[in-house]
Amino acid sequence: MTDTVRTTCPYCGVGCGLLVTPGGERTVTVAGDPDHPANRGRLCVKGAALPETMGLEGRLLHPVVDGRRASWEDALDRVADGFRAAIRAHGPDAVAFYVSGQLLTEDYYVVNKLAKGFIGTANIDTNSRLCMSSSVAGHSRAFGSDTVPGCYEDLELADLIVLVGSNTAWCHPVLFQRIEAARAARPAMRLVVIDPRRTATAQEADLHLPLRPGSDVALFNGLLAFLAGRGVVDRDFVGRHTHGFAAAVAAAARAAAPADACDLDPALVTRFYEWFASTPRTITVYSQGVNQSSSGTDKVNAIINCHLATGRIGWPGAGPLSLPGQPNAMGGREVGGLAGTLAAHMDFTDDNVDRLRRFWGSPSVAARPGLKAVDLFQAVRNGRIKALWIMATNPAVSLCDSGLVREALGTCPLVVVSDAMEATDSTAFGHVLLPALTWAEKDGTVTNSERVISRQRRVLPAPGEARADWWIVSQVAARLGFGAAFPYRSAADIFREHCRLSGFENDGGRDFDLRGLTGVDYDGLVPVQWPVSAPGQETRRLFGNGGFFHPDGRARFVALRARPPRAAVSADWPLLLNTGRIRDQWHTMTRTGLSPRLSAHSPEPCITVHPADAAAFGLSDGAMARIESPLGGIVMTVVLDDAQRVGEVFAPMHWNDRFASAATVDRLIACHTDPVSGQPELKAAPVRISALPVAWRGLLLSRSTPGTPDPGVVWSRSAGRGHVVTRLCGERPAADWLEWLRALCGPDGDWLHYEDRRQGIFRAARLLDGRPDVVFFVSPRGDAWALDWLGDLGRAGDLPPEGRAALLAGGVVRNNARGPVVCACHHVGRTAILDAVARQGASSLDDIGRLLGAGTGCGSCRPELRRLMAGARAAPVTAVPGTHD
Ligand code: SF4
C-alpha cells in the first residue's frame, strides 16, 4: 500500500479520486479513492478500465520534424523559429494555439501565459469551446463571472433534480450513482429528465420530457411565466440581488405555448412546472444538450432565470449546476484558456490587462479577445494564421465541419502537435510532433465541475523522450526570448504563481481566489473547493445571499426569445442528426479505444433510428446505412430504437479514421455557432439516410493491426483481448479471398481456409508457430460469431487438429450466446440477461447480480439492465441455447 498514489481520473468532469498502485512493466491497479469528495470510492467502467490503457502501443515517444525523428533541441528550435518568423512577418495574431480540457491546470496556465502574456495574441482557444463555453457565457451574463454556484452534495439534498440535455448515467456515471443512491434512501425525491431521447438516464426518471431539439428556451421561458403567474417568486431575493426580472417575465409571457413550441404533451409540461413550483430544494443540472446549440447561452440563462426568480441558488439542494464533459474544462476556465478570457477568471477590461502586465512583467499582454475555435480554424484555412500549435486534442475529428479543419491543417505553413499518441487524425498534419506525457505520467492539478481542485500525480515514469506540456512550452518561451518569465522547475512552481495571481489586487471583486493555497504543501494537497481566500477557508456554495460579481453586486435576468436550431430539416435533408457520447468510449478513442473491456459494449459505429423512420427509409436493424449532409457522408450500422423521436437520429462522436473507414460524424456538421459563446451546434444537423447495399460481411481477428482495406470496403476496428477485431463489409466479394487476406495481414505463416463460393462463405486462419494468429470469416449477411471463443484462440497455445477443424467448420463459431456486452465489468451479454429473466425468473437487479454478477461492479450498466428486464417482462423471449459462452 505504500506505493499507492492518490490521483484523479482523466476522463469526465466529475473528477473522481483514484488510488493507483503501480505493478511494474507499466501495469497498475486502480480503485476509487474513498476519501475523495467527488466519488467516495465509487468508479465507473471507464475509470475502472484505466489499467487496460497503460501500454505504449501507439505512443509518440520522441520528437518528429517533417516526418523524421528529431532531437528535442532541433524540434524546439523549429517551433520557436517558425513562430518567431510568423510573428515578425505578420504580427502576433498570425500565430494561434488550440489546446484542451485534457491539459492539467499548470500546462494550461503556461501556454496561456505565453500566448496572451508574452507573444501578445489571444488566438488561443480550447476544445472546451465545444463542450461548455455556453455555460461560461451564461454564467457571466447572469452572475458577472463564470461561477458554478453549487456542488455535488446538492444532488443528494435536493427534493427535485431536473437534468436538462444530460445523459448523466452514461456521461457522468458516478454522479448518477450518487443520484441513484440518494433516491433509494429518499424515495420521495423526484427526477425529471428533459432530453429529446429516452436515454438510459431518462428511463430512470419520474418524468421524462422528450422535447423538440433546441426548444429548451421555450420550456424554461414557460416555466418562468408560470412561476410569476403563480406567485412562486422570492420577491425579497429578486428585489435585493437582481436586475431585469420584469423584462425577463414579460419576454417569457409573450412566448408561444410551451407545449406546442416543445412538441410535448401539455399535461407533462404542467406536471413539470407544478413540481418545480412546489419544490424549494430544486437543482437543475445541464450539460452538452444545452451547451452544444446555436442558442446554448440563452438556454443556460433561461434555466438560471428560473433559479434567480425563486431565490433557489447557493442553498443546500438548490441551484443551477453545469456539468462540463472534460476532466479539466474548469481548470482551463480558471487560467483563461478560452480566447475571450484572461487568466484567473479575468475578462478583457483595460484594468485587467494592465494588472496582468504588471503581474507578469510583460508589456505585450493581449488587449482584446482572440479567435474562438471555429473562427480560428477558418482563419487558418484563409491563410491569416501562419503557425498553429495543437495540444492534447484532435480537432480533425472533434470540430464541426472536420473536413474543413483538415483542409485548414493541410494548408497551414507550420502545424505543431503536442500529443501522447503518434498517429491521430490530427498528428497526420503535423510538421512538428512533440511527445507529451499522459495520465499517470503527469504531475499537476485539475478542477472538477463543483470547483474542487485535485492533484493528478505521477505514477509511472515518463516513457521514451516524452515531456510535460508545461516544460515543452517553457522551452519554446525561452527560445522566443521570454525565459526569465518561464523559470519553472516543477508543476508546483506554476501552481504557486497561479494562486498568487488569483489573489493579486483581488479585493473580493473577483470570484476566483486561491490565496489560501499559495503556501500549501503541493505534494500533499488534498481536494479543495475554491474560492479559498485564506488557508482552510473553502467555499461550498456561492450566491445564497447575493454577492454576485457584476459591479453592483446584483445578478442579471436575461430577457429571452426562443430560437430554433439554425439549420432546419427539408425534403432533401429530412432527418435531424444528434451527436454525443456512448457509455464506454471517450472523445476520439485514443485511450479508451485500447481497452477490450470498454470496446465490448458498442464495438462498432452505429446510428440509432426510430423504427418508423427505418420503415420510411428502407432500413432494418443491423443493416448498413449511408448518412449524408451537404458537407459529406459517413457509413454506420443501423440500430432501431423507439427511444429516438421520429424524424431524429443519433450517432456517436467518437469514431475517426483510425477506428473506421468512414464514421467521423463531425464531417457532417456545419459550423453554426452560438452568437454569444461561439459554441458550435453539434446536436441538430439535417441529414438524409439510405440503405447501403452489402453483398458480404466479414469478421477479422488478428494479433496485430492489419493493413487498411481497399476503398470499396467499409470497416471498423475495436480492441479484443490480445487481438484486434475488424468488422468489414462490401458490395462485391473479393475475387480471391485468400489473396486479399494475405495482402491485408501479410503472407507469412501456415494458412488454412475453407470456401463455399456458391453460398458466399469463406473462412480462413493463419497459424504462426502452430498458434492461431489471424482468423477471418465471410458470409453474405454476417453471423453471430462467437467473438470470445475466437479471441481466446489467439491467446491459446498450439491449435490441436480438432481445433483446426472446428475453426473452419463454422458451426462452432455461429452460436454466440452472449450477445452484445451490457455489463463491461463482468462481461455479461444481453442474451444471458434475457435468459436469466426467462428461465431463472430473475425479476430484480439483485437477482441479476446474484445470478450473473452483472450490475455489481461500477454500476454504469444498471439503467440498461433495468430496461432489458422491463422489455423482457413485457415481451417474453425464447432464450438462445447456451454454447461456449
Ligand atoms: Fe472517471 Fe467515471 Fe469518475 Fe468520470 S465518472 S471521473 S469517467 S471514474
Side-chain angles (χ1 to χ4, degrees):
M1 191 66 184
T2 48
D3 290 341
T4 297
V5 176
R6 281 181 200 277
T7 186
T8 314
C9 177
Y11 294 124
C12 82
V14 178
C16 295
L18 305 177
L19 298 177
V20 181
T21 309
E25 290 293 315
R26 290 191 68 86
T27 61
V28 297
T29 57
V30 169
D33 181 352
D35 295 330
H36 196 285
N39 56 319
R40 298 274 177 231
R42 295 178 174 95
L43 280 186
C44 79
V45 66
K46 290 189 280 289
L50 275 164
E52 295 178 21
T53 67
M54 295 289 97
L56 294 181
E57 187 191 342
R59 284 292 298 272
L60 177 61
L61 294 173
H62 51 74
V64 174
V65 175
D66 294 329
R68 280 194 281 282
R69 180 171 183 160
S71 68
W72 268 111
E73 289 298 310
D74 288 349
L76 293 166
D77 286 347
R78 172 72 185 277
V79 176
D81 291 348
F83 270 62
R84 187 186 301 107
I87 294 164
R88 278 198 184 139
H90 306 283
D93 286 340
V95 302
F97 298 78
Y98 187 63
V99 301
S100 164
Q102 301 280 318
L103 291 176
L104 303 186
T105 299
E106 291 75 1
D107 302 320
Y108 240 139
Y109 177 89
V110 172
V111 67
N112 187 60
K113 178 177 174 179
L114 174 62
K116 287 182 185 145
F118 286 81
I119 291 175
T121 180
N123 286 343
I124 171 167
D125 211 39
T126 157
N127 62 7
S128 296
R129 176 72 60 194
L130 317 178
C131 159
M132 52 71 206
S133 54
S134 294
S135 284
V136 174
H139 290 163
S140 299
R141 284 205 305 197
F143 307 145
S145 59
D146 174 25
T147 313
V148 172
C151 58
Y152 297 161
E153 188 188 37
D154 293 332
L155 296 167
E156 286 143 353
L157 299 176
D159 296 319
L160 173 64
I161 300 174
V162 183
L163 300 177
V164 194
S166 170
N167 187 5
T168 321
W170 280 20
C171 302
H172 298 92
V174 164
L175 283 190
F176 198 72
Q177 290 176 33
R178 287 179 65 161
I179 292 171
E180 276 195 313
R183 292 175 82 206
R186 282 196 301 129
M189 270 178 85
R190 283 172 169 154
L191 177 66
V192 175
V193 173
I194 298 168
D195 194 309
R197 296 184 299 144
R198 194 173 68 249
T199 59
T201 309
Q203 78 185 45
E204 300 297 301
D206 298 297
L207 177 62
H208 171 216
L209 300 182
L211 80 177
R212 172 180 286 137
S215 63
D216 313 56
V217 170
L219 185 69
F220 281 90
N221 258 350
L223 176 59
L224 183 66
F226 182 89
L227 295 169
R230 289 281 181 100
V232 188
V233 172
D234 186 336
R235 294 278 169 199
D236 181 57
F237 184 89
V238 169
R240 288 200 295 138
H241 300 304
T242 70
H243 273 312
F245 174 69
V249 171
R254 278 197 296 273
D260 288 347
C262 302
D263 190 25
L264 288 170
D265 178 346
L268 297 185
V269 173
T270 302
R271 193 182 313 163
F272 166 51
Y273 287 178
E274 285 176 344
W275 286 4
F276 194 105
S278 62
T279 315
R281 285 179 184 252
T282 293
I283 180 167
T284 306
V285 180
Y286 46 95
S287 192
Q288 271 71 345
V290 165
N291 293 329
Q292 291 178 334
S293 160
S294 59
S295 58
T297 309
D298 285 355
K299 292 181 184 182
V300 171
N301 286 111
I303 291 167
I304 293 174
N305 279 349
C306 296
H307 281 270
L308 290 175
T310 50
R312 295 175 188 164
I313 186 166
W315 293 105
L321 178 69
S322 74
L323 294 182
Q326 299 200 81
N328 201 29
M330 294 283 279
R333 285 148 80 161
E334 291 156 15
V335 301
L338 291 161
T341 58
L342 291 168
H345 268 206
M346 288 186 270
D347 50 14
F348 276 92
T349 64
D350 291 347
D351 284 351
N352 287 336
V353 170
D354 178 59
R355 185 172 291 118
L356 277 173
R357 280 183 187 138
R358 285 181 286 110
F359 183 83
W360 280 336
S362 170
S364 40
V365 174
R368 61 178 193 281
L371 296 169
K372 301 180 181 107
V374 168
D375 299 333
L376 188 151
F377 278 93
Q378 274 163 355
V380 174
R381 179 69 186 86
N382 297 339
R384 284 165 55 204
I385 303 287
K386 313 289 184 190
L388 173 67
W389 191 343
I390 298 168
M391 287 181 199
T393 187
N394 199 357
V397 179
S398 54
L399 209 64
C400 53
D401 196 356
S402 56
L404 181 138
V405 171
R406 289 165 197 246
E407 264 180 49
L409 294 175
T411 56
C412 187
L414 176 61
V415 177
V416 180
V417 185
S418 308
D419 208 294
M421 304 306 289
E422 183 175 25
T424 72
D425 292 39
S426 297
T427 58
F429 295 94
H431 301 100
V432 182
L433 306 184
L434 304 173
L437 301 179
T438 186
W439 181 79
E441 299 156 6
K442 302 197 215 191
D443 202 32
T445 55
V446 291
T447 307
N448 73 4
S449 315
E450 60 167 350
R451 292 176 278 106
V452 167
I453 297 172
S454 301
R455 289 276 278 112
Q456 262 196 23
R457 294 184 170 89
R458 183 180 305 120
V459 182
L460 298 174
E465 298 178 29
R467 297 285 185 272
D469 287 289
W470 63 260
W471 180 89
I472 300 170
V473 176
S474 299
Q475 293 294 314
V476 172
R479 281 165 171 76
L480 291 173
F482 311 127
F486 294 81
Y488 312 115
R489 286 159 303 150
S490 67
D493 291 347
I494 302 161
F495 183 76
R496 291 197 183 97
E497 181 178 312
H498 173 53
C499 293
R500 280 202 311 280
L501 175 57
S502 75
F504 182 62
E505 298 177 353
N506 187 354
D507 58 1
R510 308 203 306 267
D511 66 337
F512 185 69
D513 187 350
L514 302 184
R515 262 174 294 183
L517 300 179
T518 306
V520 78
D521 166 22
Y522 187 73
D523 284 340
L525 182 69
V526 295
V528 56
Q529 196 169 26
W530 66 261
V532 192
S533 54
Q537 278 187 8
E538 292 184 58
T539 311
R540 294 299 280 151
R541 300 175 182 84
L542 295 101
F543 308 145
N545 291 308
F548 296 95
F549 291 95
H550 284 295
D552 59 5
R554 289 170 176 256
R556 301 288 189 270
F557 284 90
V558 181
L560 298 166
R561 189 173 54 82
R563 288 179 281 120
R566 284 273 295 283
V569 295
S570 62
D572 286 341
W573 313 103
L575 296 170
L576 204 60
L577 169 67
N578 183 357
T579 68
R581 294 164 195 250
I582 57 171
R583 194 188 78 184
D584 293 355
Q585 288 296 343
W586 175 259
H587 279 198
T588 59
M589 301 168 68
T590 48
R591 187 186 290 122
T592 49
L594 302 174
S595 163
R597 184 169 11 160
L598 297 179
S599 300
H601 180 248
S602 301
E604 59 185 319
C606 293
I607 182 141
T608 311
V609 182
H610 190 282
D613 288 324
F617 294 101
L619 305 169
S620 58
D621 199 37
M624 301 304 295
R626 182 166 176 78
I627 307 106
E628 294 170 288
S629 83
L631 297 178
I634 59 172
V635 175
M636 290 187 170
T637 304
V638 172
V639 171
L640 300 190
D641 194 343
D642 66 3
Q644 200 66 41
R645 282 167 53 100
V646 175
E648 295 164 21
V649 294
F650 175 85
M653 58 174 272
H654 308 288
W655 270 269
N656 54 71
D657 290 0
R658 285 187 63 218
F659 291 91
S661 52
T664 303
V665 74
D666 285 330
R667 280 183 179 276
L668 305 187
I669 297 178
C671 288
H672 298 305
T673 56
D674 179 284
V676 183
S677 70
Q679 182 153 357
E681 187 150 65
L682 296 174
K683 289 182 169 291
V687 296
R688 65 184 170 216
I689 191 167
S690 55
L692 187 78
V694 164
W696 63 273
R697 288 189 182 233
L699 180 76
L700 171 65
L701 281 78
S702 52
R703 281 186 207 266
S704 53
T705 305
T708 302
D710 40 272
V713 175
V714 175
W715 59 268
S716 67
R717 218 165 257 157
S718 62
R721 292 183 292 171
H723 59 274
V724 177
V725 182
T726 309
R727 292 168 175 77
L728 310 104
C729 64
E731 282 190 64
R732 277 184 298 281
D736 182 336
W737 277 118
L738 192 58
E739 229 14 71
W740 184 89
L741 185 60
R742 286 155 63 101
L744 209 61
C745 300
D748 299 339
D750 178 13
W751 287 93
L752 318 170
H753 73 280
Y754 165 84
E755 183 161 20
D756 181 337
R757 201 84 197 164
R758 197 173 49 81
Q759 293 200 56
I761 291 171
F762 177 80
R763 304 182 192 118
R766 177 171 76 179
L767 305 182
L768 279 182
D769 301 325
R771 298 173 66 206
D773 174 72
V774 168
V775 289
F776 180 54
F777 298 87
V778 172
S779 69
R781 285 186 304 279
D783 291 314
W785 288 301
L787 260 181
D788 279 6
W789 184 83
L790 292 166
D792 284 345
L793 283 179
R795 297 191 300 176
D798 287 357
L799 189 66
E802 61 274 20
R804 295 180 180 217
L807 196 57
L808 299 184
V812 168
V813 299
R814 272 202 295 268
N815 265 333
N816 182 9
R818 175 167 289 125
V821 169
V822 176
C823 171
C825 294
H826 295 286
H827 213 58
V828 181
R830 183 174 183 275
T831 310
I833 293 157
L834 297 179
D835 187 54
V837 174
R839 288 183 173 191
Q840 297 171 273
S843 61
S844 67
L845 282 185
D846 286 347
D847 290 346
I848 291 288
R850 186 171 40 77
L851 290 167
L852 303 171
T856 60
C858 71
S860 300
C861 64
R862 290 164 73 90
E864 213 167 334
L865 288 174
R866 280 198 202 96
R867 182 181 179 190
L868 271 179
M869 292 173 70
R873 282 195 293 270
V877 293
T878 307
V880 176
T883 59
H884 301 278
D885 298 298

